[in-house]
Amino acid sequence: MRRLWLIFSQAVTVALAAVFVLATLKPQWLGGRPGSAPVQFSIIQAAPLPLDGASSPGSYAPAARRASPSVVSVMTSAAEGSASASDALRRHFGDPDGGGSAGTGSAVIVSPDGYLLTNNHVIDNAEQIEIGLADGRRVAAKVVGTDPDSDLAVLKVDLGGLPAITFGDADALQVGDIVLAIGNPFNVGQTVTSGIVSAVGRSGLGLNTFENFIQTDAAINPGNSGGALVDINGQLLGINTAIYSRSGGSMGIGFAIPVATARQVMEGLITEGVVTRGWIGVQPSDLTRDMAESFGLEVERGVLITGVLQDGPASAAGVQPGDVVVKVAGTPVMNTAQLLDAVAGLKPQTQAVLSVHRGRQQLELTVRVAQRPKARTARGSSGSGR
């Protein structure tokens, strides 16, 4: 019996060994069809390919895809002997390398029939302007109008059916909202950067006469000027304008002109050739507590009038140096920027009431608003008063 069990065990061992050899070298002999694939012992799971036009969760690709065709590059050449685009770059971007009479920037297509928005400093003193479209076409552009006070300009190209951008609502922006900056930095080609809104209503930077900037940490560099700041839906929120920088490169503090301001300027330039703003002819200064005490004023908030233009609207209304304006046409003003905006919003040749503190007196002075004189440069307009 023991002998039979030993023979049986050896037979089973030999049979298992044979099956193993056949399964490895000739699996089809064990019942598989000739030419069939060998047995797979491991499975690798591959991610499915995305559908055409789809993007990863959390991606900003849809916004970039929607807005990018509306952002174009701007190439300029300055007339011999005139200030070049590099001079404007130094004002808005520190001291970038480069120079010469050629400049680059960006612009945003705002209508299918060829109107574009950009910065005044991008095309200032340009003799020739060429637009580079996202589809590779290049076409000459002409200047429709400029507004140095806001550093905006409108261009026109003789093309139709262009991909115009959709305007968003910059007034609804909050600190922390995600934004994308699209432009042509350093002339390397169209680039999209992302960041958040760092602040709104920034003023007092000395860049423009009218300042109400959106501040962002999205990378903005030389060449981005005139490009688009958009939301996560690809809608236009502002025109990228300047950065705070010591080197000319992005340091995380960039500024854009809100779309509401840009639209107002654009419509004025297209329909009338100028932007109509109110003006009363005063030189204002922010009122500090120390100034209020030294002048013996009973008010601590408002705008101190340090100068009044002779024979100007404010002078005719009885405004005097040392007066503190606290309201313009019923709108409270607590700093120079607010006074400037309130006066600019008044319609020329209409009357408005200024609420003024003069020592211990409170006065209501009626002024006949004039039209603001056109500034010669983006930065040299403060001398004309408010």
Side-chain angles (χ1 to χ4, degrees):
M1 187 68 182
R2 185 175 180 181
R3 181 183 178 86
L4 291 174
W5 175 253
L6 183 60
I7 293 172
F8 174 76
S9 299
Q10 291 174 344
V12 170
T13 302
V14 172
L16 290 174
V19 170
F20 177 78
V21 171
L22 290 174
T24 303
L25 301 178
K26 297 290 184 178
Q28 63 271 23
W29 289 7
L30 298 178
R33 294 187 303 274
S36 61
V39 178
Q40 298 294 323
F41 293 98
S42 63
I43 299 176
I44 299 175
Q45 295 184 350
L49 294 175
L51 299 175
D52 291 343
S55 56
S56 303
S59 171
Y60 305 135
R65 205 162 39 235
R66 190 173 297 118
S68 292
S70 303
V71 183
V72 302
S73 60
V74 179
M75 288 71 67
T76 65
S77 59
E80 186 176 353
S82 66
S84 68
S86 61
D87 297 326
L89 281 175
R90 292 188 186 96
R91 292 200 304 270
H92 291 78
F93 291 90
D95 188 22
D97 294 332
S101 61
T104 59
S106 305
V108 182
I109 301 171
V110 293
S111 73
D113 54 348
Y115 285 101
L116 302 95
L117 261 173
T118 188
N119 286 133
N120 178 67
H121 75 259
V122 170
I123 53 89
D124 195 25
N125 295 314
E127 188 175 51
Q128 295 179 329
I129 304 173
E130 187 179 49
I131 301 300
L133 299 172
D135 60 12
R137 289 180 292 173
R138 290 178 177 265
V139 61
K142 62 180 181 180
V143 177
V144 174
T146 64
D147 182 44
D149 280 331
S150 63
D151 192 24
L152 288 167
V154 176
L155 306 178
K156 181 71 166 63
V157 294
D158 292 330
L159 293 174
L162 296 178
I165 202 163
T166 301
F167 281 46
D169 183 9
D171 292 337
L173 271 180
Q174 301 181 62
V175 173
D177 284 348
I178 295 171
V179 289
L180 307 179
I182 308 176
N184 181 37
F186 298 111
N187 202 27
V188 299
Q190 190 178 89
T191 302
V192 181
T193 57
S194 68
I196 64 168
V197 174
S198 307
V200 294
R202 282 286 192 238
S203 61
L205 304 178
L207 293 173
N208 307 333
T209 302
F210 296 93
E211 296 183 340
N212 181 30
F213 291 115
I214 301 167
Q215 181 181 320
T216 178
D217 65 350
I220 297 174
N221 288 291
N224 272 114
S225 283
L229 187 74
V230 304
D231 60 18
I232 57 174
N233 297 313
Q235 297 176 338
L236 183 67
L237 297 176
I239 301 297
N240 299 323
T241 298
I243 61 174
Y244 174 81
S245 178
R246 297 176 179 174
S247 62
S250 175
M251 296 179 65
I253 302 179
F255 303 102
I257 300 169
V259 67
T261 301
R263 184 169 191 166
Q264 178 186 14
V265 170
M266 175 189 70
E267 291 175 348
L269 292 176
I270 292 175
T271 58
E272 301 178 16
V274 294
V275 181
T276 302
R277 297 187 175 98
W279 178 79
I280 59 174
V282 296
Q283 192 68 39
S285 178
D286 289 346
L287 180 66
T288 65
R289 180 171 295 183
D290 290 341
M291 293 170 66
E293 291 178 355
S294 64
F295 282 99
L297 302 175
E298 293 186 348
V299 60
E300 295 182 356
R301 306 292 293 273
V303 181
L304 179 67
I305 302 301
T306 58
V308 180
L309 182 66
Q310 187 176 4
D311 298 327
S315 175
V319 179
Q320 300 177 8
D323 288 350
V324 177
V325 179
V326 294
K327 288 183 182 180
V328 175
T331 301
V333 292
M334 290 178 279
N335 55 50
T336 300
Q338 291 180 357
L339 174 70
L340 181 58
D341 288 340
V343 171
L346 299 175
K347 189 174 181 178
Q349 307 309 317
T350 61
Q351 292 184 334
V353 175
L354 304 181
S355 299
V356 172
H357 282 257
R358 182 179 297 164
R360 299 180 181 274
Q361 293 181 296
Q362 298 182 27
L363 306 174
E364 302 289 321
L365 304 178
T366 301
V367 58
R368 186 171 182 82
V369 182
Q371 181 167 328
R372 181 178 179 82
K374 187 175 181 179
R376 287 189 299 248
T377 66
R379 300 188 64 192
S381 56
S382 60
S384 60
R386 270 61 175 173

